[in-house]
Amino acid sequence: MPATQALRPRPAHVALAAGFAVAGCLAGAFYHPAPWRPFDLWAYLLTLLIALSLALRENRPFAVLVVTAAGFAGYLLLGYQPSLNFWVPAVAFVSVTARAARARIVCGAALLTAVIALSGVCGRLPWPVVVVQALIVPAVALAVGLTQRRLAASNAELRRLTALLDRQQRQEARRAVLDERFRIARELHDTISQHMTIVTLQTGVAEYLFHADPPAARTALGTAAAAGRESLDELRRLLVVLRTHDLGGTPGPEGPADPLPDDLLADIGRIPALAERLEAAGLHVEIRFTGERRPLHPGLELCAYRVVQEALTNVVKHSGSATAEVEVRYLDDELRITVLDRGGPLSATAGGGSGHGLIGMRERAKIWHGSLTTGARPGGGYQVQLRLPLGQDRNGG
């Protein structure tokens, strides 16, 4: 901060200083009892010096106290009546107590006590009154100044906490944006990837059989077209969810969010239809449901469906296996889903993919406080297992 701006007094302090100056001059002009010296030019100048220096008490509190005390002492020693100048050093000491270091507060208290005692002596007051006045005035000023000091410290702490809260809110907002982007990326990947895999495989088959086996080529093209149409339907469904609802019904601090409309989200009941579509891509899927089937939260059902969808898509893309198994087990407090492939000419862990699918599956499981384990099977093939706790599900049986 520039020096000129630091020394610029506040309007309230200027008004207080001007008030003391005007009041002191008026009191001296209209009240000058004997045997006090008449209020002359020097009295006016000293009164103005003592009072107007209060305008700088916020930026130079101790210097202002020294000026006001010295000016008031000189004013008294010249034989003028104390008038309202009596209170100016006390006000200056309040600012010293509120802003200065402890050593200066002690020095200021001693200085104020001395000048107040001098005022009593010059006013020919009884010595008990002089002592009491010299003790009470600094004590009251000290109490007021300490109160201001505590209030300023509280305000500074409040400003610090406000700034900290503002930074935290900004960070939370950025984190929420990133989380939303990740969820949108997961939905786009899981929705489009499987259908595009079928389209790519079937169009490749059609190209290969175009001349050798035209009926088979037409069948492959029909399958690719159906997969493309379903991909568009899934994309429209996703856009509706993005416009109107929280994706996937992400659970909040008090549990899962409000359920989304059933016609906007995939669920476990659509896994058989998913298996039928993959039949066209040459993958036979065996599905088993065990345990008592019951409706679950739509977001949790979507999580389970997307993990199965991505796992089976990876079998088609990276394994080359002709068969896969899906087991859905409804336990009392857990939903456990296992996807197995029997192995093929390629490895399910081959580096043909980007890895986004596996990351997305783990993120979905984490949202619902579940776990995802993947790994190669000892006898060949690959296994994906999803475990989702059902204790926080509100819509469970």
Side-chain angles (χ1 to χ4, degrees):
M1 181 182 297
T4 56
Q5 187 175 356
L7 291 174
R8 186 179 302 167
R10 289 187 180 183
H13 296 165
V14 173
L16 180 64
F20 269 112
V22 172
C25 290
L26 290 176
F30 292 100
Y31 178 73
H32 42 78
W36 298 103
R37 181 176 174 177
F39 208 78
D40 55 15
L41 177 62
W42 282 107
Y44 280 109
L45 292 178
L46 286 173
T47 298
L48 293 176
L49 173 66
I50 296 169
L52 293 180
S53 60
L54 285 178
L56 299 176
R57 65 191 178 94
E58 180 179 20
N59 301 310
R60 299 288 187 268
F62 190 77
V64 169
L65 174 60
V66 172
V67 170
T68 57
F72 186 48
Y75 177 90
L76 292 171
L77 293 175
L78 288 175
Y80 299 111
Q81 73 272 22
S83 186
L84 295 177
N85 294 335
F86 177 92
W87 296 106
V88 177
V91 174
F93 180 64
V94 169
S95 297
V96 172
T97 307
R99 296 178 176 85
R102 180 175 298 179
R104 291 201 168 187
I105 294 176
V106 173
C107 293
L111 184 59
L112 179 61
T113 301
V115 76
I116 295 300
L118 177 63
S119 174
V121 172
C122 292
R124 300 179 179 86
L125 298 176
W127 70 264
V129 177
V130 173
V131 172
V132 171
Q133 181 177 266
L135 294 177
I136 289 181
V137 173
V140 172
L142 179 66
V144 174
L146 291 177
T147 301
Q148 290 187 358
R149 192 183 193 96
R150 285 192 293 268
L151 181 60
S154 299
N155 290 338
E157 180 66 12
L158 180 61
R159 287 192 295 270
R160 186 188 71 83
L161 293 176
T162 301
L164 178 62
L165 179 61
D166 180 67
R167 287 196 298 270
Q168 290 178 342
Q169 288 177 339
R170 292 176 184 273
Q171 291 173 356
E172 289 296 329
R174 287 194 292 269
R175 188 178 296 111
V177 171
L178 289 176
D179 289 344
E180 191 68 12
R181 289 173 59 183
F182 290 151
R183 284 188 285 173
I184 292 172
R186 283 196 304 268
E187 290 297 323
L188 289 175
H189 177 275
D190 294 345
T191 301
I192 303 302
S193 176
Q194 185 221 2
H195 299 295
M196 290 300 100
T197 297
I198 295 176
V199 169
T200 302
L201 291 175
Q202 295 303 308
T203 52
V205 171
E207 182 181 14
Y208 181 76
L209 298 176
F210 188 78
H211 295 291
D213 192 351
R218 284 194 294 271
T219 301
L221 288 175
T223 302
R229 287 191 295 270
E230 182 143 0
S231 177
L232 288 176
D233 292 338
E234 291 278 0
L235 187 56
R236 293 190 188 99
R237 188 179 297 113
L238 173 61
L239 291 176
V240 172
V241 173
L242 289 175
R243 290 191 185 102
T244 58
H245 295 280
D246 178 26
L247 273 175
T250 304
E254 299 180 358
D258 292 336
L260 299 175
D262 293 338
D263 58 344
L264 295 181
L265 294 177
D267 55 26
I268 296 175
R270 295 181 59 184
I271 292 178
L274 171 66
E276 292 180 5
R277 290 197 302 270
L278 292 173
E279 291 279 353
L283 177 67
H284 175 68
V285 182
E286 299 177 2
I287 302 174
R288 293 193 305 274
F289 290 92
T290 60
E292 181 185 356
R293 294 185 63 177
R294 55 191 184 273
L296 304 176
H297 188 278
L300 192 146
E301 296 242 3
L302 174 64
C303 172
Y305 176 85
R306 292 302 189 203
V307 168
V308 173
Q309 182 185 46
E310 179 63 25
L312 293 178
T313 300
N314 287 340
V315 173
V316 175
K317 291 166 62 176
H318 306 309
S319 172
S321 174
T323 60
E325 301 176 9
V326 177
E327 182 184 26
V328 181
R329 298 184 63 186
Y330 288 85
L331 303 177
D332 292 339
D333 57 354
E334 182 181 83
L335 177 69
R336 186 178 303 172
I337 296 179
T338 305
V339 181
L340 305 172
D341 75 82
R342 302 185 186 281
L346 303 175
S347 170
T349 58
S354 63
H356 294 163
L358 185 59
I359 294 174
M361 287 192 288
R362 288 205 170 104
E363 288 176 348
R364 288 184 181 279
K366 184 178 179 180
I367 287 174
W368 290 93
H369 308 289
S371 63
L372 183 85
T373 56
T374 61
R377 301 172 63 191
Y382 203 72
Q383 173 179 300
V384 175
Q385 186 174 82
L386 172 68
R387 304 177 68 171
L388 297 174
L390 301 181
Q392 61 180 332
D393 179 54
R394 295 177 178 176
N395 295 339

